[in-house]
Amino acid sequence: MAEGNAVEVRGLHVRRGTTEVFKSIDLDIPRGQITGLMGPSGCGKTTLMRSIVGVQKIAGGTVTVLSDPGGTQVQRRRVSYDTQAASVYGDLTIQQNLRYFARLIGAPTSDVDRVITQVGLADQAKQTVDSLSGGQEKRVSLAVAMLGTPELLVLDEPTVGLDPLLRSELWEIFRGVAEAGATIVVSSHVMDEALRCDRIVLLRAGRIIADTTPARLLTDTGESDPDAAFLALIERDAAASAQAHHPMTRRQAREEASE
């Protein structure tokens, strides 16, 4: 495994029932950066994340995380996973939730107040989760993922359904965690969030169609808006796929070029 990578995926093949999610994908995720997995719903973002944290059954290929196979016991305290649904208990307070999960993973008790403060919920620490807004509940779930100072945080659409202000506040938290040395993999289908990442991986129909940076994304497509840039890449990929299935003859290509 390359020293600068937190994750290396090679030839990943995943089936779900009769559906083939990935045939064979390769991906490197560098350490200390925010890598955004972008793309429409159903493109494979969650399956890829589940494969990275070791909870997805795979049909072939390898996933190496922090130099060990994904999902091994040694990674329990080094890797955290925040699912789309907030995985906290509604009838417990924020503080009680964090104390419970800290004990589960063996994180120090001092971590509880630290992460509650980091996600901006110190004033609500003694409130039950059920009494919180949706955005606050997502912050509690994020706080759980930050316990124990993990080296890799895998966050599945943590800002979905939130208003622009709340999304911006969460991204400030992500950036602070990354600047402290952690690697973050975050998925989203809100394309303007791509500009907040260090790297962008765009998936379409179980394939990686772009692995780039925000600046290169806009430069390569000639667009100034991320939505337009992603649409341009998807249209380009769709055209290439159509061409591969129905290639023009050389004569047709010459005739088209001469028109």
Side-chain angles (χ1 to χ4, degrees):
M1 183 172 186
E3 186 175 340
N5 291 331
V7 178
E8 290 183 357
V9 177
R10 295 292 181 269
L12 180 62
H13 182 196
V14 177
R15 290 194 194 95
R16 280 193 172 181
T18 59
T19 302
E20 195 164 49
V21 183
F22 298 129
K23 287 185 178 179
S24 178
I25 63 169
D26 299 328
L27 177 66
D28 290 335
I29 295 176
R31 293 177 184 263
Q33 294 187 10
I34 300 178
T35 295
L37 301 183
M38 316 299 293
S41 297
C43 68
K45 300 188 297 293
T46 296
T47 300
L48 179 55
M49 293 183 135
R50 285 171 53 85
S51 299
I52 289 172
V53 299
V55 297
Q56 175 65 54
K57 182 179 180 180
I58 65 176
T62 61
V63 181
T64 306
V65 180
L66 303 175
S67 301
D68 291 298
T72 52
Q73 182 67 25
V74 70
Q75 292 169 354
R76 184 177 180 184
R77 297 180 186 178
R78 302 179 71 193
V79 178
S80 67
Y81 179 37
D82 187 14
T83 60
Q84 288 184 30
S87 50
V88 289
Y89 296 97
D91 58 342
L92 299 180
T93 67
I94 295 174
Q95 195 174 64
Q96 288 169 336
N97 267 285
L98 270 294
R99 285 176 176 169
Y100 170 72
F101 286 107
R103 284 197 298 270
L104 276 185
I105 66 170
T109 305
S110 58
D111 259 16
V112 172
D113 289 338
R114 175 182 66 82
V115 296
I116 289 175
T117 300
Q118 273 188 280
V119 299
L121 291 175
D123 291 342
Q124 293 81 24
K126 296 189 184 301
Q127 287 184 224
T128 62
V129 170
D130 280 342
S131 71
L132 303 175
S133 67
Q136 290 172 326
E137 185 176 358
K138 286 182 181 291
R139 290 194 198 193
V140 179
S141 192
L142 175 61
V144 172
M146 292 164 58
L147 285 167
T149 317
E151 296 171 55
L152 172 65
L153 289 87
V154 180
L155 312 176
D156 194 357
E157 297 197 353
T159 63
V160 67
L162 301 185
D163 64 56
L165 178 60
L166 286 174
R167 286 198 288 121
S168 179
E169 290 174 353
L170 280 183
W171 274 95
E172 288 178 7
I173 295 171
F174 302 158
R175 179 53 62 187
V177 171
E179 288 178 351
T183 301
I184 296 180
V185 180
V186 56
S187 68
S188 177
H189 60 263
V190 181
M191 297 312 178
D192 65 353
E193 294 190 339
L195 302 184
R196 297 178 177 270
C197 300
D198 299 303
R199 286 179 64 250
I200 305 162
V201 176
L202 178 61
L203 291 101
R204 175 177 181 264
R207 293 179 296 109
I208 295 173
I209 65 172
D211 185 349
T212 186
T213 65
R216 281 208 312 269
L217 169 70
L218 300 178
T219 299
D220 291 348
T221 58
E223 302 286 353
S224 58
D225 175 74
D227 282 311
F230 278 112
L231 183 59
L233 286 178
I234 288 172
E235 289 176 345
R236 188 183 301 171
D237 180 70
S241 297
Q243 174 66 15
H245 286 95
H246 304 286
M248 289 187 290
T249 64
R250 290 185 180 180
R251 179 179 176 181
Q252 288 173 320
R254 284 197 303 269
E255 287 175 350
E256 182 174 300
S258 65
E259 291 179 352

